[in-house]
Amino acid sequence: DVKVTQSSRYLVKRTGEKVFLECVQDMDHENMFWYRQDPGLGLRLIYFSYDVKMKEKGDIPEGYSVSREKKERFSLILESASTNQTSMYLCASSLGLAGAYEQYFGPGTRLTVT
Amino acid sequence: AQTVTQSQPEMSVQEAETVTLSCTYDTSESDYYLFWYKQPPSRQMILVIRQEAYKQQNATENRFSVNFQKAAKSFSLKISDSQLGDAAMYFCAYMGAGNMLTFGGGTRLMVKP
């Protein structure tokens, strides 16, 4: 079974702090994704990576950066956390990018910025 | 840009009954995929069913089936013989030529025993 894990289920940070969210997948998938989930808005893509050290912006990249130094690990970085970044963050991975390839999701990290 | 709309924020169904969740989308593309994802409470999101737009036959997976109306840009999910384990958030999603998923706002399904 594909396993996507995220470093924390719950995280509380203060405004202005630098925040790291970590995601690890164990299926040698090429592609990894970071989404933000908000009530009524569904999931929105922040960034994705199609290879080590490669990244592409999604729909809402402002205020975020990412890092992929190893194939299995994809990090989301909030350089200076703000209250409007309080949200659920979901990581996903897939073998390919086309619709025939399923995206597998992690359990999510609920981040609260105070 | 493509948009996906789920007009029912919440739905409820009696156990063993059938329920239909609605989804509409807007696109100018002719070739794309549509998906339904399930997110159980405090558990990981999983893919329920997938439909390729060029296939006229509606996809089915056990108790889950879709009604895909391409001209109407409608993609509803039917759950038959509802079970308590079907209680979850359900998200409709679209993927076109850009190979990125666009999600609807979600429908929370409650199953009454």
Side-chain angles (χ1 to χ4, degrees):
Chain A
D1 283 350
V2 175
K3 195 169 183 182
V4 180
T5 57
Q6 296 183 227
S7 52
S8 306
R9 289 301 301 268
Y10 300 94
L11 208 53
V12 180
K13 295 292 181 181
R14 291 191 180 274
T15 301
E17 277 193 82
K18 190 168 186 176
V19 181
F20 293 87
L21 303 184
E22 304 282 336
C23 175
V24 176
Q25 50 96 3
D26 68 355
M27 283 302 292
D28 202 34
H29 282 174
E30 304 294 328
N31 309 286
M32 296 186 75
F33 308 82
W34 275 107
Y35 293 91
R36 171 177 171 156
Q37 180 180 355
D38 297 291
L41 298 178
L43 281 71
R44 294 175 290 167
L45 181 65
I46 304 172
Y47 269 98
F48 74 97
S49 169
Y50 54 90
D51 201 352
V52 174
K53 297 190 186 293
M54 306 304 290
K55 62 184 179 184
E56 291 284 345
K57 293 180 180 179
D59 296 323
I60 53 164
E62 297 79 17
Y64 303 95
S65 62
V66 290
S67 172
R68 193 167 180 201
E69 297 295 321
K70 293 185 177 182
K71 191 175 186 180
E72 68 271 17
R73 190 179 297 269
F74 192 34
S75 301
L76 180 69
I77 303 156
L78 287 65
E79 295 288 343
S80 177
S82 63
T83 55
N84 62 13
Q85 293 179 309
T86 291
S87 187
M88 171 73 88
Y89 291 88
L90 296 178
C91 175
S93 73
S94 70
L95 187 59
L97 282 178
Y101 297 96
E102 180 176 348
Q103 287 191 19
Y104 296 86
F105 286 83
T109 295
R110 186 166 295 281
L111 172 67
T112 301
V113 183
T114 61
Chain B
Q2 291 79 21
T3 58
V4 178
T5 302
Q6 295 179 246
S7 59
Q8 307 150 317
E10 283 191 357
M11 292 278 288
S12 66
V13 62
Q14 207 70 35
E15 199 176 2
E17 303 269 301
T18 295
V19 64
T20 299
L21 308 184
S22 301
C23 174
T24 58
Y25 58 95
D26 186 27
T27 184
S28 58
E29 297 176 316
S30 59
D31 193 16
Y32 49 86
Y33 286 82
L34 295 162
F35 307 82
W36 279 99
Y37 279 88
K38 172 185 178 182
Q39 186 180 43
S42 301
R43 292 179 61 189
Q44 284 161 259
M45 189 170 314
I46 57 172
L47 178 65
V48 174
I49 201 165
R50 168 175 37 209
Q51 175 80 41
E52 298 171 73
Y54 71 87
K55 288 188 177 179
Q56 293 186 344
Q57 186 171 7
N58 289 325
T60 62
E61 288 286 344
N62 301 313
R63 297 182 295 106
F64 297 86
S65 62
V66 298
N67 183 7
F68 173 48
Q69 302 286 331
K70 191 172 184 179
K73 296 180 183 173
S74 170
F75 183 61
S76 59
L77 175 70
K78 185 172 84 171
I79 306 174
S80 304
D81 185 26
S82 297
Q83 301 175 0
L84 295 178
D86 294 334
M89 281 292 291
Y90 286 83
F91 292 97
C92 178
Y94 171 100
M95 179 184 285
N99 290 330
M100 294 295 109
L101 285 170
T102 299
F103 287 85
T107 296
R108 181 176 304 279
L109 177 67
M110 294 171 285
V111 181
K112 299 176 182 177

